Amino acid sequence: MTGQQLKNSILQMAVQGKLVPQDPNDEPASVLLERIRAEKEQLIKEGKIKKEKNPSIIFRGADNLPYEKIGKNEPICIADDVPFEIPESWEWVRWGTLSESIQYGYNAPAQENGRIKMVRISDIQDNSVMWETVPYCDIKEGEIDAYLLKPNDILFARTGGTVGKSYLVQEIPEEAIYAGYLIRTRYSNQLCPQYLKYFMESELYWSQLREGTIATAQPNCNGKTLGNMLVPIPPSHEQIRIVEKLNAVMAHVIEYGTIDSRSKHLNNIFPERLKKSILQEAVQGKLVPQDPNDEPAAVLLERIRAEKQKLIAEGKIKKNKHESIIFRRDNSHYEKLDGIEHCIDDEIPFEIPETWEWIRLGSLFTINPRNNIADDTVVGFMPMPLLKDGFHSGHTYETKLWKDVKSGFTHFANNDVVIAKITPCFQNRKSAVIHDLPSGYGAGTTELHVLRDYTKMLYIPYFLMICKTHDFIQNGMKNFSGTAGQQRVGKDFIFNYLVPLPPVNEQKRIVEKVNVLIKSCDIL
């Protein structure tokens, strides 16, 4: 049960007479309503309020069913209109019968300065008026009294996204009127205004409002709908007891709602946090056991370097002018770059197994390669929407001729890793291993970085996994450049990013395990 559902349930009990016990010594609500009618008649005689055209009187008939007499018409049974039974000491009454007046607000432009403050719908937040920001308006002196707010008035939003929201006026720091999109309802001081306000938060109130709301692009509800609402009225003393009970209970309901919302939020974010933890365990060598029979990553790197030298000699790839070699010495990590060795212990984020090595992405992959294929080749074309986000690898493509997409787009091929470089696609993990392209080649959005392994010695899904880790995303965001809303991760970040490199067979075991666990997280 949500906090709102709990609140609705308690308010339903309150308006049905089930929240507090009835006291046989209480004056019945029928007597209270007679006094209110007499009071209204007196105010009409004094010219302070207008006479109702067709006043409503609801009473119990000899058959104990509710009947309503409207104006001079014959009473009719309204048992089908009454939503539930109420205690014998209670009465059903129309909102318009209870109200001394139901009046629309004053229409005037808001101003920084003026004759008097004017409360608008937007000034009411969380059952409070933000008095400091309430604007002023100009109004003729003789019109002020008709719109002047008084304690215990209830304001009602009659249009827009907040239609039906109500506010009980309790404190007025300075004279104020109310704006045209609000309705003011005013009552006899023999009624408990807090009870009426709680009624306006109940499902009984909202269900009647929905039936009477005009369904347009801008929903609105008029004073007639409000006046026709059925309200269950308890004896005066019971109204007070109900309000006291609700005031005490609602503090706990709010606390429950806060805890429930926080719990739901944690449940919602837990799968993603778990996925991040799984990837972190994976890249630290803690997800699957090491196999002493695996070829160490150091040997793999020697074979990769030898293969790259061969490819350079054949003119298939360019020589890396700033080749990085990372090695261990004296229990520390050193990097040889441009012939200079220096300790990089402060860059190493965590310990890795003995059979693993640290390496920069730029030492393993060609970053953002270009394809060299015939113009009439049919290729895959991938705009950003066709690259899926999240922790899985997924993409689709359109088909194009190479001549139509070779210029002005990013090049890629089967088994390349593509990474969205622009915000928010980067943070949303839009990245994938490219596969199943027609002719094996493609192009797409310019907002991609591409990793290509010309040596074909690496297990590429492992490196896609690296690009989806929390560390990769967070460090990439720290290296954003560009204007707000158009920030990007640069090529240098990708090139220099340190990755933990396991033996190839362990790369495969890690990815297999990660895929199983991530899939399990998806069904949590």
Side-chain angles (χ1 to χ4, degrees), residues 181-365:
Y181 289 123
L182 291 166
I183 296 176
R184 182 193 65 194
T185 54
R186 186 170 284 170
Y187 314 88
S188 166
N189 58 16
Q190 298 184 62
L191 291 164
C192 177
Q194 289 86 0
Y195 173 79
L196 297 177
K197 177 63 175 77
Y198 274 125
F199 165 78
M200 293 184 87
E201 296 178 15
S202 72
E203 180 54 29
L204 174 58
Y205 162 79
W206 284 106
S207 63
Q208 294 182 86
L209 181 77
R210 285 191 292 269
E211 290 177 11
T213 299
I214 300 171
T216 63
Q218 185 80 345
N220 65 85
C221 185
N222 55 36
K224 183 178 179 181
T225 297
L226 186 59
N228 283 334
M229 281 192 185
L230 282 168
V231 186
I233 291 295
S236 295
H237 289 131
E238 190 169 346
Q239 291 177 37
I240 295 169
R241 294 197 300 276
I242 289 171
V243 167
E244 289 174 347
K245 187 71 171 179
L246 286 172
N247 287 344
V249 168
M250 285 304 166
H252 299 293
V253 172
I254 292 170
E255 182 180 4
Y256 170 86
T258 301
I259 294 171
D260 180 63
S261 296
R262 189 179 301 141
S263 174
K264 283 185 171 59
H265 174 67
L266 289 174
N267 286 337
N268 288 337
I269 65 174
F270 174 71
E272 179 150 335
R273 287 190 174 182
L274 183 56
K275 291 174 186 179
K276 292 175 183 178
S277 296
I278 290 167
L279 296 189
Q280 186 62 31
E281 292 285 293
V283 299
Q284 288 187 241
K286 297 178 180 179
L287 197 63
V288 300
Q290 281 71 55
D291 186 339
N293 297 313
D294 285 344
E295 173 191 76
V299 178
L300 170 64
L301 285 177
E302 287 301 321
R303 291 196 295 110
I304 288 173
R305 290 185 183 112
E307 179 64 18
K308 287 178 72 174
Q309 289 300 320
K310 177 185 172 186
L311 293 170
I312 291 167
E314 294 172 353
K316 294 180 179 178
I317 63 172
K318 293 181 179 180
K319 183 177 181 179
N320 184 355
K321 295 179 181 179
H322 303 286
E323 185 71 27
S324 161
I325 297 177
I326 296 173
F327 57 93
R328 290 188 179 111
R329 187 173 64 204
D330 302 329
N331 210 29
S332 287
H333 294 84
Y334 288 83
E335 181 175 25
K336 185 175 181 180
L337 186 65
D338 298 330
I340 301 173
E341 295 181 4
H342 63 283
C343 181
I344 59 167
D345 280 346
D346 58 341
E347 290 188 58
I348 303 299
F350 47 79
E351 290 295 318
I352 54 175
E354 286 287 327
T355 55
W356 292 34
E357 296 292 333
W358 285 104
I359 188 76
R360 299 198 187 272
L361 278 176
S363 296
L364 294 174
F365 295 95

Side-chain angles (χ1 to χ4, degrees), residues 502-517:
V504 171
N505 287 335
E506 190 170 348
Q507 294 174 30
K508 295 175 181 178
R509 294 197 302 273
I510 289 170
V511 170
E512 183 179 354
K513 185 69 171 180
V514 165
N515 287 342
V516 171
L517 294 175

Side-chain angles (χ1 to χ4, degrees), residues 462-473:
Y462 174 80
F463 296 92
L464 173 66
M465 186 194 75
I466 290 281
C467 296
K468 291 184 182 288
T469 61
H470 182 68
D471 182 80
F472 181 83
I473 300 297

Side-chain angles (χ1 to χ4, degrees), residues 417-432:
V417 177
V418 297
I419 310 154
K421 62 184 178 183
I422 192 169
T423 184
C425 299
F426 178 81
Q427 298 98 306
N428 293 339
R429 295 177 169 82
K430 270 185 173 278
S431 53

Side-chain angles (χ1 to χ4, degrees), residues 342-414:
H342 63 283
C343 181
I344 59 167
D345 280 346
D346 58 341
E347 290 188 58
I348 303 299
F350 47 79
E351 290 295 318
I352 54 175
E354 286 287 327
T355 55
W356 292 34
E357 296 292 333
W358 285 104
I359 188 76
R360 299 198 187 272
L361 278 176
S363 296
L364 294 174
F365 295 95
T366 298
I367 313 296
N368 300 337
R370 304 294 290 175
N371 296 333
N372 184 17
I373 55 178
D375 283 354
D376 60 353
T377 306
V378 176
V379 299
F381 181 72
M382 188 177 68
M384 186 66 80
L386 299 187
L387 178 61
K388 294 183 180 179
D389 59 12
F391 288 85
H392 297 283
S393 174
H395 71 87
T396 54
Y397 57 82
E398 304 164 0
T399 56
K400 304 276 187 180
L401 288 177
W402 184 243
K403 65 180 180 180
D404 296 327
V405 295
K406 68 178 182 180
S407 299
F409 294 103
T410 302
H411 292 193
F412 46 75
N414 282 344

